[in-house]
Amino acid sequence: MLNVLSGDDYIVQRSAIVSLVNISNHSTCLPHDLNADAIKLLRKMGNKNEFKDMLPYISFSFANFTCNRKILDSTGEHSGIEFIVNMIASSDNVYSRWVGISAIKKLTETPSNRERIMICTILDTIMSDCNLNEGFIRNEVSECLLNLSKDCHHRAALAEACMPRLTLLFATADVNILARTCDSLALLTESGYCGCLDMKDHVLSYTAPLLEHGNLIVRRASSKLLSNLLSFDGTKIGCDLLSSLLRMFHDEDCECRRYASSAFRNIALKKESHHLVMKNLIDLLDLTHSNDEETKSNAILSVQTLSVEKINRVHLVERRVIETLTSFISYRDPKIQVAVLSTLENLSSCPSLRSKIMSADLMIKMKILLGAASYELCLKLVRVIGNLSEEHDNCFKMIDVGIVSATFVVSKSKCPIIQENLSLLLVNLSACRDAQLHVYEQGVLECFTNLTYASNSSDLCIQNVSLGIQLLFSNAEVRLAVVKENRIESLMNFISHPRVQYVHCTCVALSLISVDKESRSYLLLTVESVFKLLYQGTIQIQRAAMCVFANLAESIEMHESLVNMSIVKRISNLVATATDSKIVQDISRFLAFISIHDTAKEHILVSELLPYVIKFSRRTDEATQRYSTLVICNLALHPTKKVFCYKDDFMRVLTFLTKCHDLEVERCSFLTLGILGFGVESEYKELISNDGIFNEILKGINQEHIYIKQTSSLALNSILLNNLDSIRRKWLGKDCELLTTLSSLLEVSDGSCVHNAIYAVGSLIEIPQIRHEIVEKGYLSSVSHVLQNTSCVHTKRACGYFYSVIHEYPEYHHYVQNNSKDIGTFVDLLGSPDSQCKSYGVLISILLASNKDLHVALVKRGAVRHLTSIIELEAELYPYAGFALLKLADNFENHIAFSEQGGIRALLKLGAMGRIKDEDNHNTPLSLAKLAFNAIKGFKPVAAATQISSSTSLETHELNIN
């Protein structure tokens, strides 16, 4: 046959062509080794004019050749494609074109031939109007285009050449053509090729009605195409399209629902279309219950996309999206889990929604998942929980479900992002003051420890861990638990950590532990390590370290250990170089408490720290000034080292501190003056008895605050307690301001102020030149008023001393004689349970009994009764009480009352004891005789006169007694 075709006989060749068509129609008749010569021969004959009318037969031959898979590639290799293309372009015969396009369709089934077809620019030929207008040709064209669309690298050229005319294929009722057209466009749009914006909308307008086509294949293809079209920016979405898409959610075909969910996801990716999606959110959520994994995934991813926009988050939570998502947290597909957690992450980033998102069920599922989650899931989980923990109330719910214990494994992660988010979560939980102990018990400290060992931690993670440890130790219960579990030693491992932030937070934790008195003894082993940080650490570390020592010094039982470690001497360099206000404050606080110990006082003075303390007392910081003044006050208590007050303008500074407007500083300053003034060292009294200090003390007494009145009056009292009258006179030479000030001080309601005033007046009254002035200013009535109303034993003693000095001088007795209440007050001293008050009462009774004008008043007030009681019970006072009793017995008007109050029995006992002076020993029987005489004179005066011998007449004895 091939030989005939290659011959010269025209008629025979035409018959051979017809025969070849018939033979090639049966694939079994075609030789397997059909070579290139046959294809070339047919192509050559087709190009001759004399065989032009035979082109349909030649086309049929090629079409039949392409039906044979074994020679399909050979046709393309030997320029068969070009011949077919030319034949289709030049033929007016519909059937010839149809046969040619069918051949091309067959050739597009192999990748190698598809490549050759694209090179031949066949697309314009097969997409011509004359071909598309014929229904049976359109079928072949659609299938041809579908095959060509399968190669990704051809889609750009195919879309550019065919897209404008490809939509013409939609104008058919043929189901197969519609399906193949949609599939072709879906493949083209899948790679992002869709021509201009108008073309997208044009295709979309044809595609939307097909979503409700009766044929399943068409619906699948159109839904797939629609999903791809909606992935392009600027695609217009109408309500009709959205309604059709929503109806497809309920399509019976799973694949249709899948493409519909994908299309809905693409709509959700467009911000301008969110309002349409939100209106139909319920339908979207229904897809999450689909049995198809991809449909379910698309629905959840759509919700995730919507949650990115802040404006949608509130609506999503209100539509109960959280309940839907919670059920998928433990889902088997990690992709869905990540989408769910991403959505929760977006929603939880909104502060107002955190409390609404939080639920116990959600936390329990997250806790379970956290222990065995992959990297991506773990990161999402930590972020979600971290965001939720920003709401304070949520933290308690997390603690209740034990979320901290689930983070232990996560805390070992080497991922910096996970570490950062986890540290934020743990910090928020540690900030819950009411639940900090529970957080500690769940192992948060172990989690923090794991995070500190991470070598690639970010600065934010380090900062969060440091803050978390400090927050944790701010709770007293946590600190106590750490101490009881002996975890201080493990905490000390951070002291040598290369990260400065961890060293700092450890020092802060130790300083917080040292706040608890019962825990301070456990910190003694850490003192040396902490002390090194005073000179090696940063300024923040030095602050925390110094705070530890200041807190330890607050416990008196710790003083001995600190002194034995010579801490005071060893910090001298730090004291000399410290400039930071917080460090200086804690140094002052440490010295203020440690200076209570006598040995520590010596260390402070030997180390020459006093000049720095004085310097600190001048600082503007209120707390530093207070502690420094307290150090000076404690140093003044040193029994032998008061000589320091001569150095470094000490008294000038002390005077300056008395003028300070801070209450505590003034109080300690006046107290220091009082301490220095006490004792027998007159040189100190002379040193502080200058005009400046004198004026400040008087101003202090006149201040309204009671504490200043107390300490300033104490300072005044200590200076006046001196045998040097020169100091007292010096102070009184100030226009009598001192006496006026003391008089006003007696009227204060505070017992300490009144006590100090009484003592000061008692010191001044010892000077004869001042005594009369004191009496003239009415101090007798003021002191009497104090004695009548006070319950303080020490104040009563001071009043007793005052009156015992005054009543040594008879010229002042008339003040008592004019005020009967004063006599009763003095008699009350005799009945006081305090022995010293009794002593002053007995002495005052003796002095007043020397004045006969006062006898009746004393006895009437019950003086005899108290004196007789003293004679019977007080071994030391009874001789003096007996002397007062003898004086009171020497008055006729008192005898009856004297005997009624037991005076006679007391005199008999007094005479029997024989332990009084000889003169009083003789006077005792005389007093008894006089009492008997008065009794006889009152009852039997005549008989009494006859029974007494003239040699021993009572009158004679009475004269002798007088």
Side-chain angles (χ1 to χ4, degrees):
M1 184 70 68
L2 293 178
N3 292 331
V4 171
L5 288 173
S6 60
D8 296 330
D9 189 343
Y10 172 72
I11 301 299
V12 174
Q13 287 177 329
R14 292 173 64 87
S15 299
I17 291 173
V18 175
S19 300
L20 184 61
V21 170
N22 293 329
I23 294 173
S24 63
N25 193 35
H26 301 279
S27 59
T28 55
C29 298
L30 290 174
H32 290 213
D33 56 347
L34 185 65
N35 53 24
D37 294 335
I39 297 174
K40 291 178 181 179
L41 181 61
L42 286 173
R43 183 166 57 84
K44 182 179 179 181
M45 294 178 69
N47 293 328
K48 292 181 179 181
N49 291 330
E50 57 268 26
F51 293 104
K52 203 166 187 179
D53 58 332
M54 298 300 292
L55 279 177
Y57 296 99
I58 297 174
S59 301
F60 273 109
S61 297
F62 273 102
N64 291 334
F65 289 162
T66 57
C67 291
N68 192 329
R69 282 277 180 184
K70 297 177 181 177
I71 61 174
L72 187 61
D73 286 337
S74 299
T75 305
E77 287 176 3
H78 302 291
S79 303
I81 296 175
E82 291 86 344
F83 172 77
I84 297 173
V85 170
N86 294 330
M87 185 268 299
I88 295 172
S90 60
S91 176
D92 295 332
N93 189 299
V94 174
Y95 294 102
S96 296
R97 294 199 304 274
W98 172 63
V99 170
I101 293 175
S102 297
I104 293 296
K105 179 194 71 172
K106 290 294 183 180
L107 288 170
T108 58
E109 292 179 358
T110 61
S112 59
N113 285 329
R114 288 198 292 267
E115 186 76 26
R116 299 184 186 102
I117 291 172
M118 294 302 297
I119 295 173
C120 292
T121 63
I122 191 177
L123 299 178
D124 292 336
T125 302
I126 65 175
M127 294 296 292
S128 62
D129 291 339
C130 59
N131 291 329
L132 294 180
N133 289 332
E134 299 294 337
F136 59 94
I137 296 179
R138 282 202 301 268
N139 188 50
E140 301 298 329
V141 170
S142 63
E143 193 168 351
C144 179
L145 291 176
L146 179 60
N147 291 336
L148 290 173
S149 302
K150 293 178 181 179
D151 293 336
C152 297
H153 54 284
H154 294 154
R155 289 174 184 170
L158 191 63
E160 184 177 355
C162 300
M163 187 62 71
R165 304 187 64 80
L166 190 60
T167 55
L168 297 176
L169 295 175
F170 282 114
T172 181
D174 191 295
V175 173
N176 293 325
I177 294 176
L178 288 174
R180 283 195 289 269
T181 302
C182 290
D183 284 336
S184 299
L185 289 171
L187 290 172
L188 293 178
T189 56
E190 190 176 283
S191 298
Y193 305 113
C194 196
C196 63
L197 180 61
D198 292 338
M199 183 57 65
K200 290 195 291 264
D201 295 335
H202 188 58
V203 174
L204 192 62
S205 65
Y206 281 107
T207 308
L210 299 179
L211 295 176
E212 300 181 32
H213 199 278
N215 186 271
L216 176 60
I217 299 175
V218 175
R219 290 203 308 275
R220 284 182 182 177
S222 59
S223 61
K224 181 180 180 182
L225 173 59
L226 180 63
S227 175
N228 293 340
L229 286 173
L230 292 174
S231 66
F232 291 96
D233 294 332
T235 305
K236 295 180 181 178
I237 304 171
C239 294
D240 294 338
L241 173 63
L242 192 64
S243 300
S244 301
L245 194 59
L246 290 173
R247 283 192 288 272
M248 187 161 280
F249 284 170
H250 307 285
D251 195 280
E252 60 184 6
D253 182 59
C254 176
E255 194 169 344
C256 288
R257 293 196 302 271
R258 182 187 307 164
Y259 289 132
S261 64
S262 177
F264 216 73
R265 179 190 172 191
N266 291 331
I267 294 175
L269 289 173
K270 296 175 174 56
K271 184 177 179 181
E272 62 275 9
S273 303
H274 282 186
H275 66 285
L276 297 174
V277 181
M278 293 300 297
K279 287 180 180 179
N280 301 279
L281 185 61
I282 301 299
D283 296 308
L284 180 62
L285 293 178
D286 289 340
L287 291 179
T288 60
H289 304 296
S290 173
N291 294 327
D292 181 65
E293 294 293 322
E294 190 172 349
T295 303
K296 188 179 299 184
S297 175
N298 286 330
I300 293 176
L301 288 172
S302 299
V303 176
Q304 176 193 349
T305 305
L306 293 172
S307 67
V308 174
E309 295 299 324
K310 295 181 180 179
I311 195 172
N312 297 332
R313 293 172 185 169
V314 175
H315 299 292
L316 288 173
V317 174
E318 289 176 351
R319 302 286 179 84
R320 305 182 68 83
V321 170
I322 302 300
E323 290 77 357
T324 303
L325 297 178
T326 302
S327 61
F328 290 100
I329 289 180
S330 303
Y331 199 70
R332 60 183 177 272
D333 186 0
K335 181 181 177 181
I336 292 180
Q337 286 180 309
V338 171
V340 168
L341 292 174
S342 298
T343 306
L344 291 174
E345 180 185 353
N346 294 333
L347 295 176
S348 62
S349 63
C350 184
S352 60
L353 298 177
R354 288 168 182 160
S355 58
K356 298 179 181 179
I357 296 172
M358 186 67 186
S359 67
D361 185 40
L362 177 65
M363 277 298 103
I364 292 173
K365 290 185 177 182
M366 285 187 174
K367 176 187 174 183
I368 296 172
L369 184 60
L370 198 59
S374 62
Y375 163 76
E376 190 174 5
L377 282 178
C378 183
L379 178 59
K380 294 293 182 182
L381 280 168
V382 173
R383 280 180 172 172
V384 172
I385 301 174
N387 287 342
L388 293 176
S389 67
E390 295 288 342
E391 182 71 26
H392 188 66
D393 293 338
N394 290 348
C395 293
F396 293 100
K397 297 178 182 178
M398 294 180 184
I399 296 169
D400 290 340
V401 300
I403 197 69
V404 178
S405 58
T407 62
F408 179 77
V409 177
V410 183
S411 65
K412 297 180 180 180
S413 173
K414 296 182 180 180
C415 174
I417 302 177
I418 292 179
Q419 294 171 1
E420 193 173 294
N421 287 277
L422 179 60
S423 64
L424 176 63
L425 166 63
L426 296 178
V427 165
N428 291 335
L429 295 179
S430 300
C432 298
R433 182 165 295 277
D434 296 335
Q436 284 174 330
L437 182 61
H438 298 294
V439 175
Y440 169 77
E441 291 172 348
Q442 291 179 17
V444 69
L445 194 56
E446 289 80 358
C447 295
F448 281 138
T449 303
N450 291 337
L451 290 174
T452 58
Y453 290 139
S455 58
N456 56 344
S457 299
S458 64
D459 292 338
L460 181 59
C461 176
I462 295 172
Q463 179 182 345
N464 288 337
V465 172
S466 302
L467 178 61
I469 293 176
Q470 295 177 48
L471 288 172
L472 200 62
F473 279 88
S474 65
N475 187 284
E477 294 179 340
V478 173
R479 297 196 296 267
L480 184 61
V482 170
V483 172
K484 287 183 177 180
E485 295 172 9
N486 296 321
R487 302 191 65 175
I488 294 180
E489 186 175 351
S490 60
L491 187 65
M492 290 300 296
N493 294 332
F494 296 138
I495 288 290
S496 57
H497 200 283
R499 299 277 189 180
V500 176
Q501 294 90 334
Y502 295 144
V503 179
H504 172 247
C505 75
T506 304
C507 285
V508 172
L510 292 175
S511 66
L512 292 171
I513 292 175
S514 63
V515 172
D516 306 320
K517 294 182 179 180
E518 59 271 18
S519 302
R520 289 170 182 165
S521 59
Y522 294 92
L523 294 178
L524 285 177
L525 297 176
T526 68
V527 168
E528 291 298 332
S529 299
V530 176
F531 185 82
K532 294 178 182 178
L533 298 176
L534 287 175
Y535 296 96
Q536 298 175 1
T538 62
I539 192 70
Q540 291 83 3
I541 294 175
Q542 287 179 336
R543 288 176 181 175
M546 194 62 233
C547 184
V548 173
F549 287 104
N551 290 340
L552 291 177
E554 290 187 6
S555 294
I556 295 179
E557 56 270 16
M558 301 292 292
H559 287 182
E560 191 68 30
S561 300
L562 294 173
V563 169
N564 292 338
M565 295 178 186
S566 301
I567 298 297
V568 177
K569 293 181 179 179
R570 293 166 65 184
I571 68 167
S572 57
N573 292 334
L574 181 64
V575 175
T577 58
T579 56
D580 181 73
S581 59
K582 186 65 174 65
I583 295 177
V584 171
Q585 178 180 323
D586 282 328
I587 289 175
S588 303
R589 183 159 65 99
F590 170 74
L591 294 176
F593 288 106
I594 200 69
S595 59
I596 297 173
H597 196 280
D598 289 337
T599 307
K601 292 186 181 73
E602 293 184 5
H603 288 178
I604 293 174
L605 296 173
V606 171
S607 301
E608 297 183 353
L609 298 181
L610 181 60
Y612 300 104
V613 174
I614 293 175
K615 180 181 177 181
F616 294 160
S617 67
R618 297 174 178 174
R619 295 177 71 97
T620 56
D621 178 44
E622 184 180 86
T624 302
Q625 199 173 29
R626 288 181 179 181
Y627 289 126
S628 302
T629 310
L630 185 57
V631 176
I632 296 173
C633 184
N634 289 337
L635 292 177
L637 287 168
H638 196 287
T640 60
K641 299 289 185 179
K642 288 185 180 181
V643 70
F644 68 82
C645 63
Y646 286 102
K647 299 179 181 180
D648 300 311
D649 296 331
F650 178 79
M651 296 307 300
R652 184 170 60 83
V653 174
L654 199 58
T655 305
F656 164 76
L657 294 176
T658 59
K659 302 175 185 178
C660 181
H661 296 292
D662 185 78
L663 174 65
E664 292 300 323
V665 174
E666 289 187 60
R667 181 168 172 258
C668 288
S669 303
F670 284 120
L671 190 59
T672 304
L673 290 173
I675 294 170
L676 292 174
F678 278 115
V680 296
E681 300 90 347
S682 59
E683 61 271 18
Y684 301 126
K685 297 179 184 290
E686 291 283 1
L687 182 64
I688 62 178
S689 296
N690 60 65
D691 292 343
I693 295 180
F694 168 76
N695 292 330
E696 293 304 322
I697 289 176
L698 292 184
K699 289 179 182 179
I701 293 175
N702 292 324
Q703 285 193 29
E704 294 182 0
H705 203 283
I706 198 66
Y707 288 153
I708 304 300
K709 285 182 178 291
Q710 289 175 353
T711 52
S712 56
S713 61
L714 179 65
L716 176 63
N717 185 24
S718 67
I719 296 171
L720 294 178
L721 284 174
N722 192 299
N723 293 326
L724 297 177
D725 292 345
S726 59
I727 295 178
R728 299 173 183 170
R729 291 193 183 95
K730 176 182 177 180
W731 281 51
L732 286 168
K734 305 294 179 181
D735 299 331
C736 298
E737 184 180 354
L738 175 60
L739 293 179
T740 304
T741 302
L742 289 175
S743 177
S744 64
L745 194 61
L746 287 173
E747 299 175 0
V748 178
S749 59
D750 182 70
S752 299
C753 294
V754 173
H755 171 266
N756 292 331
I758 296 293
Y759 262 92
V761 174
S763 299
L764 292 174
I765 207 169
E766 295 173 357
I767 305 174
Q769 296 86 346
I770 303 174
R771 188 180 305 119
H772 182 71
E773 188 175 354
I774 290 175
V775 174
E776 289 297 327
K777 284 186 173 293
Y779 271 84
L780 290 178
S781 60
S782 298
V783 175
S784 175
H785 177 74
V786 171
L787 184 58
Q788 293 171 16
N789 295 281
T790 186
S791 59
C792 177
V793 173
H794 299 287
T795 304
K796 287 184 177 181
R797 290 177 182 177
C799 293
Y801 176 77
F802 172 82
Y803 279 113
S804 64
V805 175
I806 281 289
H807 293 312
E808 286 185 19
Y809 307 96
E811 62 267 25
Y812 302 123
H813 287 184
H814 67 278
Y815 289 99
V816 180
Q817 191 173 356
N818 295 334
N819 193 344
S820 60
K821 287 185 178 180
D822 291 350
I823 295 178
T825 304
F826 304 146
V827 171
D828 290 340
L829 283 176
L830 292 171
S832 174
D834 181 64
S835 60
Q836 193 169 345
C837 289
K838 282 183 180 180
S839 301
Y840 286 125
V842 171
L843 179 58
I844 294 171
S845 298
I846 292 174
L847 296 174
L848 293 179
S850 301
N851 188 337
K852 282 195 173 185
D853 295 335
L854 299 174
H855 284 187
V856 175
L858 285 170
V859 175
K860 186 177 180 180
R861 290 287 182 173
V864 174
R865 183 182 302 107
H866 292 299
L867 290 172
T868 56
S869 176
I870 292 172
I871 291 174
E872 293 177 0
L873 301 176
E874 301 288 343
E876 296 181 358
L877 296 179
Y878 84 83
Y880 307 102
F883 183 58
L885 201 61
L886 288 174
K887 286 182 175 290
L888 293 175
D890 191 19
N891 192 311
F892 172 77
E893 296 179 18
N894 290 338
H895 287 176
I896 295 176
F898 191 93
S899 60
E900 290 175 351
Q901 295 179 25
I904 297 176
R905 184 174 65 253
L907 288 176
L908 291 172
K909 183 177 180 180
L910 189 66
M913 288 181 181
R915 294 178 60 187
I916 57 177
K917 297 178 181 179
D918 292 340
E919 181 182 353
D920 294 336
N921 205 15
H922 290 295
N923 289 339
T924 301
L926 293 177
S927 297
L928 289 170
K930 188 167 184 178
L931 288 169
F933 172 75
N934 285 340
I936 292 170
K937 190 165 88 172
F939 292 101
K940 296 178 180 180
V942 178
T946 58
Q947 292 179 12
I948 296 178
S949 169
S950 59
S951 60
T952 59
S953 68
L954 289 176
E955 289 83 353
T956 305
H957 284 286
E958 183 179 359
L959 183 61
N960 291 336
I961 290 173
N962 290 336

